[in-house]
Amino acid sequence: QMRATADGLVGTVGGGRLENAALRRARELLGGETGPRTERYDVVQDLGMSCGGTMKVLFEPMTPEPRLVIFGAGHIAEPLCAMAALAGFSVTVCDERPEWLTEARFPAAQERLLAPWTELPRLAQVTPAAFVASVSPGHAVDVQVVRALAALGAQPRYLGVIGSQRKGVLIRKELADAGLPSSWVDAIHSPMGLDIGAADPREIAVSIVAQLVAVLRGVNATGS
């Protein structure tokens, strides 16, 4: 077995012409094929080898875990981290309060970032493939986080801000007035989560994770 990336290689399928052909084909398939496939090589005709016979090679894509970055380590963040990790997300939790951002509260987190709010968006290294949920201590911090992410330029695949319908309207207006592009403002999920009538933090976390999975799988992710 071997694992091929765009610019790297781990393992081997025997070296030589077969491996070179398999490596070329694997890199052709990167980012395109969604499922496993088997391809057959005639050792003489396809590979120019004299030993004869045929070889079958299984090409199977390896999809990395989706990453969720949570800004805020409060009451919603705790069950959100646990449930998102259970659903297959690699979770990073960010906060500036050490008494909230503890291993005991977030044992399922792959990473815990403790720094001032002004630094956390940069330290989190959000990419366009990431999912972001802002459940910070207040509206002003949520606005700060979104503006900082926009300034860094990498718009995440999902961007949610906790709050009511009214807060969602207010935060979009405030961000639009601050000059954020409509592509950012319109993409914000606020309220976050699917409308399941959630009331307490655990139920809210369930609704948010359900929305994350819907976005991940490309189905309707309309919130409340």
Side-chain angles (χ1 to χ4, degrees):
Q1 294 182 339
M2 70 179 183
R3 181 173 60 198
T5 64
D7 54 5
L9 179 65
V10 177
T12 180
V13 289
R17 294 181 180 179
L18 173 65
E19 184 165 300
N20 289 335
L23 179 59
R24 284 195 302 271
R25 185 60 179 140
R27 288 176 174 162
E28 290 172 359
L29 296 174
L30 283 174
E33 296 293 321
T34 58
R37 59 185 295 163
T38 300
E39 299 198 1
R40 176 182 175 277
Y41 293 87
D42 184 290
V43 172
V44 176
Q45 294 182 8
D46 298 330
L47 303 177
M49 299 167 65
S50 60
C51 52
T54 60
M55 300 282 288
K56 288 183 178 179
V57 180
L58 172 66
F59 295 89
E60 187 170 13
M62 298 178 64
T63 304
E65 289 181 328
R67 181 173 181 240
L68 170 64
V69 181
I70 303 173
F71 289 95
H75 298 297
I76 293 175
E78 189 173 2
L80 176 58
C81 174
M83 293 179 190
L86 188 63
F89 287 81
S90 172
V91 184
T92 296
V93 185
C94 309
D95 207 299
E96 68 175 9
R97 302 167 295 174
E99 68 275 19
W100 289 85
L101 190 65
T102 65
E103 184 177 1
R105 296 189 70 239
F106 297 98
Q110 292 290 317
E111 184 179 32
R112 297 185 306 278
L113 294 178
L114 179 66
W117 290 114
T118 53
E119 299 178 19
L120 282 169
R122 175 182 57 83
L123 294 175
Q125 298 183 344
V126 173
T127 69
F131 293 69
V132 172
S134 186
V135 290
S136 79
H139 174 86
V141 177
D142 290 328
V143 170
Q144 180 181 342
V145 165
V146 176
R147 291 187 65 177
L149 291 174
L152 291 168
Q155 184 168 2
R157 184 173 180 181
Y158 174 96
L159 177 58
V161 177
I162 199 67
S164 63
Q165 290 277 8
R166 182 175 182 274
K167 179 179 175 179
V169 172
L170 289 174
I171 198 169
R172 290 186 188 91
K173 183 179 185 304
E174 187 170 342
L175 292 169
D177 291 345
L180 260 70
S182 60
S183 59
W184 275 80
V185 175
D186 295 343
I188 295 173
H189 293 269
S190 186
M192 267 195 294
L194 301 184
D195 186 3
I196 60 171
D200 70 24
R202 290 170 299 181
E203 294 173 350
I204 293 169
V206 168
S207 74
I208 294 171
V209 172
Q211 190 172 54
L212 298 178
V213 172
V215 172
L216 180 66
R217 300 305 178 197
V219 301
N220 185 10
T222 303
S224 55

